[in-house]
Amino acid sequence: MSTLSLQSRLKNRRQHLKNPELPVEGTLSTLRGLTLEATGCKASIGARCLIQSNSGPHVEAQVVGFNRDRTLLMPMGSVEGLRSQARVTPVPGQLDAPCGDGLLGRVIDARGQAIDGLGPLNYSHTTPLVSQCLNPLDRSGVTTEFDVGVRAVNGLLTLGKGQRVGLFAGSGVGKSALLGMMTRHSEADVTVIGLIGERGREVADFVRETLGEEGLKRAVVVAVPADQPPLLRLQGAMLATAIAEGFRDKGKQVLLLMDSLTRFAQAQREIGLATGEPPTSKGYPPSVFAMLPQLVERAGNLASGGSITAIYTVLAEGDDQNDPIVDSARAVLDGHIVLTRELADAAHYPAIDIGASVSRTRSAVNNPRQEQLIRRCLQLAAAYRAQEDMLRVGLYKPGTDPLLDEAVAFWPALQDYLQQPAERGEDMQTSRARLAQILGL
């Protein structure tokens, strides 16, 4: 060890003794799975550290826990080039998210750096990556409808400004296409899209084809593909939420689309298991179920103006609607939209199962007449579904059940109503008028 290095460390120790809150450098001792252990390093949970590397620039890591007198770190990139006894230097300050209209039309990574080749970001200010919890009394209620441009949602599952909704589906049933429709056709002033843990090809396809040049003009995309470390996937979801908060604080109506909440939970599962947390439900440690509400509770309305209407996709593995993440998300969100493989296989797009979907704020944003239309429509759809097998094999005799007879006559028009081309949006007023026309009310 050089004399200069020794003097530097002794100086850090003396400063720490005078002020224990100051961070202190340490040395890397162990690489175990996804975590690194450092001795002598004094830093708080969530602090960033730079680790000296032999093969190039420093490796950035974050403090995720402690093991007796050792500090547990998780790298934010490749660990190639690291060696034992490498210097670990805490970085002062907290992580911030860029904010401002200069972000519109840009694609950034979890560190807030542009990856679209359009030059550096032009942002006006920054905001903390992890904000303080809002006082519940500082929130305003969900009382105004929010037009997403999708007929089935506007007419039957009406969303409100400031609502948090889950989009539950298995793989390959049209989640990304539905998110693209909402981005292009919603009434939001700004759309913030978090693509967390998706395949790199899907990220490129979503930005170039699903979103398109027109949809990107009033949107910000935070892309963190599946090959990124779990810390960056976690940070990407936090960054997208912080950017949405920045626009909301300026009084804008923000639509936050997170694809997906499941990948966020899986990233925290990797971190939790690596730091020694016990697995509980389906391998998920307790910290996962603690972090889900911390993320989604950041969306909503402010009493002073501005709102974040959030839609989180939730991947139902094996189409299991009782998956622990699906079940936990259903409990903390204000409703859920279910996409089914049966409808997708029948080329029914968007593949929304209206019978299994619920908007908990629907009655608060609809007038009594619209609620009457929705209840009548759902009643007829449920009557048809209950006897669908009998109708298919011809065992039902018309005239036996007046409600079912009405449902049979109504069913083709309802199926046409629920389907919509991705490139064509339909506003709230038109969606409601068309539903009333179909029902004859």
Side-chain angles (χ1 to χ4, degrees), residues 15 72 91 165 181 294 302 310 330 374 384:
Q15 290 176 343
L72 302 182
V91 179
V165 187
M181 288 178 67
Q294 291 176 10
L302 289 181
R330 189 185 293 116
I374 294 173
Y384 185 92

Side-chain angles (χ1 to χ4, degrees), residues 109-142:
D109 63 10
R111 293 183 172 90
Q113 300 173 352
I115 58 173
D116 51 11
L118 300 178
L121 294 178
N122 179 23
Y123 55 91
S124 57
H125 62 286
T126 60
T127 186
L129 189 67
V130 181
S131 63
Q132 294 183 350
C133 296
L134 286 175
N135 185 331
L137 299 182
D138 289 338
R139 297 176 181 268
S140 62
V142 180

Side-chain angles (χ1 to χ4, degrees), residues 65-186:
F66 306 102
N67 181 13
R68 296 182 181 178
D69 61 339
R70 297 189 177 187
T71 302
L72 302 182
L73 305 161
M74 185 160 287
M76 293 186 175
S78 173
V79 296
E80 185 177 356
L82 294 185
R83 59 176 177 81
S84 180
Q85 302 304 310
R87 182 184 298 179
V88 180
T89 306
V91 179
Q94 61 180 0
L95 293 171
D96 292 324
C99 294
D101 292 341
L103 295 178
L104 296 178
R106 303 303 302 271
V107 183
I108 62 178
D109 63 10
R111 293 183 172 90
Q113 300 173 352
I115 58 173
D116 51 11
L118 300 178
L121 294 178
N122 179 23
Y123 55 91
S124 57
H125 62 286
T126 60
T127 186
L129 189 67
V130 181
S131 63
Q132 294 183 350
C133 296
L134 286 175
N135 185 331
L137 299 182
D138 289 338
R139 297 176 181 268
S140 62
V142 180
T143 57
T144 307
E145 71 272 5
F146 183 79
D147 187 350
V148 296
V150 180
R151 185 166 54 232
V153 178
N154 283 343
L156 297 171
L157 301 167
T158 316
L159 304 185
K161 291 180 181 178
Q163 186 174 354
R164 292 83 51 87
V165 187
L167 187 60
F168 296 167
S171 57
V173 296
K175 296 190 302 298
S176 297
L178 183 55
L179 293 182
M181 288 178 67
M182 292 179 178
T183 303
R184 292 193 298 270
H185 307 309
S186 78

Side-chain angles (χ1 to χ4, degrees), residues 248-267:
R248 178 188 62 184
D249 293 343
K250 294 172 63 178
K252 294 184 179 294
Q253 309 303 317
V254 183
L255 175 61
L256 172 63
L257 304 176
M258 188 78 69
D259 187 14
S260 69
L261 196 63
T262 303
R263 305 302 185 198
F264 171 84
Q266 290 173 347

